Amino acid sequence: MNRHDIVIVGGGIAGASLGAVLAEHAGVLMLEMEDSAGYHATGRAVSFWEETYGGLAVQPLTTASGPMLAAPDPDFCESPFLTPRRTLHVGRAGDAAARDRLLEQFGAKVDLVPVDPAALVPGLRPEWSLGVLEPGVCDIDVAALHQAWLRRFRRLGGEVRLATALRRAEARDGGWRIETDAGAIDCGVIVDAAGAWADDVARACGVAPIGIAPLRRTVVQLRVPAMPSADLPLVMDLGSQFYFKPEGEGRVWLTPHDEEPSPPCDAAPEEMAVAEAIARFESVVDWPVEAVERKWAGLRSFSRDRAPVYGFDPAARGFFWFAGQGGFGIQTSPAAALLGAALLRGEALPPQIAGIDPAPYSPARFR
C-alpha cells in the first residue's frame, strides 16, 4: 500500500505549481490521467500576463504573480518567464461604456492609458476608434513555466504518476483511500486540481460538486504576410468578441473569445468557430489572411461566479479544492500556489501575497 501526506489530482499548471510549493514540507504524489502532464488546458494556452484579464477577482493574484514571473528565484529558474508585449483594448463608438468601465474599475490598480488605436496598429479599420493601452502586459513562456514547476516538484521529492486516473476515493481513518488504475493509495489530503474534470473528481470522492463548468475556447494560427510587425501589441476587443497577437513574423494567434459549454474531453475546434474568428479578425484590420496554419481548442473551467476556488471543502474533511482558474491559471500560478499552500497548511500568508484576501476564493461560498 502506498501512503502519502497529500495526493494532487491533475498535473497541469494548477497541480504542478501547488505541488512545487507543498513538496518542500510534505510527501506529495501527483496523479495525471494522461501520458503527459499539461496535455489539456495548460498545453493549449495562448497565455499572457495581463492584470485586467479575468476581472477584479483575479487581478490581485495576477499582480502578485508578476514579480515572481519576471524575476524568478534562481533556484527555480535562471531566466524570466515574461517578455514585453502590451495590450491594446479596442472598440467602436458603441463600446464607450465598456471602455469607461475598464478605466473606472482598474484605473487605480493598473497602468492604463487612453490612446488613438490607429497610431499603434497600422491597418486598423477606421471604425475601431476607441483605444486603451495596457503597457505592462507580457507574453508568458508557458512550457518553460510548467516544466519549471514540475522540475522543482520532483527535486523536492514529489512523485508524478502519469497515465494514472483516480477512479474513486473513500474517506477513512482520518484520511483517504484512493483507487487508481495502478492500485490503491492512502493519503491524508486530496487536492482536486483536475481542471475541467474537477467536479467529476469530487463526485468520485463522494464530495458534492460545486459547479465547475468547462467552456471551449478556439484558437487559430493565421499566416498574414501583410502584418506590419511582430512587435505589435495584443489587440483585445472591449466587447469580448476577439483577441489576437503576433506570433513571429507574419503570423497571428487569434481567438473569437468563444466560451461554448462542453463536457470534460479532449477538446477540438469547430469549423464554425474558426470561420467566425477569421470574420471578426478581417472586420478589425485590413491584413489579408493567406492561410490557416493551425487550429486547436482547449477547455477553460470556471466556477459559477468565475472566481477561482481554493480551500478545504467545508463538508468533506481533507478534500481541498484548487480549481476554477478559467483562462487565468497560468498568469496567477505563483500567487495561487502560495495561497493554496498556506490555506492547506493552516499558515499565515507569505509576504508575496500578504495583501490578498483568501475569502473570495473559498469553496464555502457554494455550500
Side-chain angles (χ1 to χ4, degrees):
M1 179 63 62
N2 295 305
R3 174 76 195 187
H4 301 269
D5 299 322
I6 301 166
V7 169
I8 297 175
V9 183
I13 198 73
S17 59
L18 182 60
V21 178
L22 291 174
E24 188 170 4
H25 301 292
V28 186
L29 171 66
M30 186 181 301
L31 300 180
E32 169 53 56
M33 67 179 182
E34 302 293 353
D35 292 334
S36 61
Y39 173 77
H40 291 286
T42 300
R44 308 177 194 198
V46 179
S47 196
F48 41 83
W49 181 85
E50 181 182 298
E51 291 174 280
T52 61
Y53 196 54
L56 292 172
V58 175
Q59 176 267 319
L61 295 166
T62 304
T63 298
S65 294
M68 292 181 272
L69 292 168
D73 184 331
D75 184 53
F76 177 50
C77 186
E78 294 181 356
S79 303
F81 299 105
L82 303 182
T83 53
R85 168 60 61 191
R86 304 174 297 160
T87 286
L88 175 65
H89 302 270
V90 298
R92 293 168 287 198
D95 297 312
R99 176 202 58 192
D100 295 344
R101 187 164 54 250
L102 177 69
L103 292 169
E104 180 181 355
Q105 289 182 330
F106 291 101
K109 304 173 184 291
V110 178
D111 186 14
L112 296 173
V113 184
V115 295
D116 173 10
L120 294 175
V121 181
L124 190 71
R125 298 192 185 278
E127 60 268 29
W128 294 90
S129 57
L130 304 180
V132 176
L133 182 68
E134 191 171 345
V137 173
C138 294
D139 291 335
I140 302 176
D141 189 336
V142 179
L145 178 61
H146 185 230
Q147 289 304 310
W149 287 124
L150 289 173
R151 191 164 53 247
R152 175 178 170 82
F153 175 67
R154 290 187 173 104
R155 188 170 67 243
L156 293 173
E159 180 185 351
V160 180
R161 294 188 190 172
L162 301 174
T164 306
L166 179 150
R167 296 304 180 189
R168 61 182 298 273
E170 177 182 309
R172 58 166 65 179
D173 301 327
W176 294 89
R177 169 69 55 83
I178 298 173
E179 299 295 337
T180 77
D181 304 323
I185 300 166
D186 282 342
C187 69
V189 173
I190 292 176
V191 173
D192 187 350
W197 285 263
D199 271 0
D200 287 352
V201 167
R203 291 187 189 95
C205 297
V207 177
I210 58 176
I212 300 294
L215 304 176
R216 188 178 64 246
R217 170 62 51 87
T218 306
V219 185
V220 296
Q221 178 175 302
L222 305 179
R223 185 162 72 245
V224 189
M227 186 181 73
S229 168
D231 297 325
L232 291 172
L234 184 156
V235 179
M236 182 169 288
D237 176 28
L238 285 163
S240 299
Q241 294 295 298
F242 64 82
Y243 64 77
F244 60 86
K245 75 182 188 77
E247 185 62 20
E249 293 291 339
R251 285 176 171 81
V252 165
W253 279 4
L254 162 71
T255 174
H257 217 273
D258 51 335
E259 292 188 342
E260 187 68 26
S262 170
C265 65
D266 188 354
E270 294 191 351
E271 290 306 317
M272 185 65 72
V274 172
E276 185 62 38
I278 296 170
R280 292 178 186 180
F281 177 77
E282 291 178 333
S283 76
V284 180
V285 290
D286 64 2
W287 313 336
V289 175
E290 188 172 279
V292 176
E293 294 187 323
R294 294 173 56 205
K295 52 189 175 181
W296 67 96
L299 298 181
R300 306 158 80 247
S301 303
F302 289 92
S303 70
R304 295 196 297 273
D305 62 7
R306 296 181 71 91
V309 186
Y310 305 135
F312 282 107
D313 191 297
R317 182 178 178 184
F319 189 90
F320 191 90
W321 291 90
F322 201 70
Q325 291 94 339
F328 325 113
I330 295 166
Q331 70 175 27
T332 61
S333 62
L338 293 175
L339 176 62
L343 292 172
L344 193 150
R345 295 194 292 242
E347 298 175 350
L349 300 186
Q352 301 97 313
I353 59 168
I356 294 178
D357 179 8
Y361 312 119
S362 170
R365 69 192 193 269
F366 300 120
R367 298 301 191 206

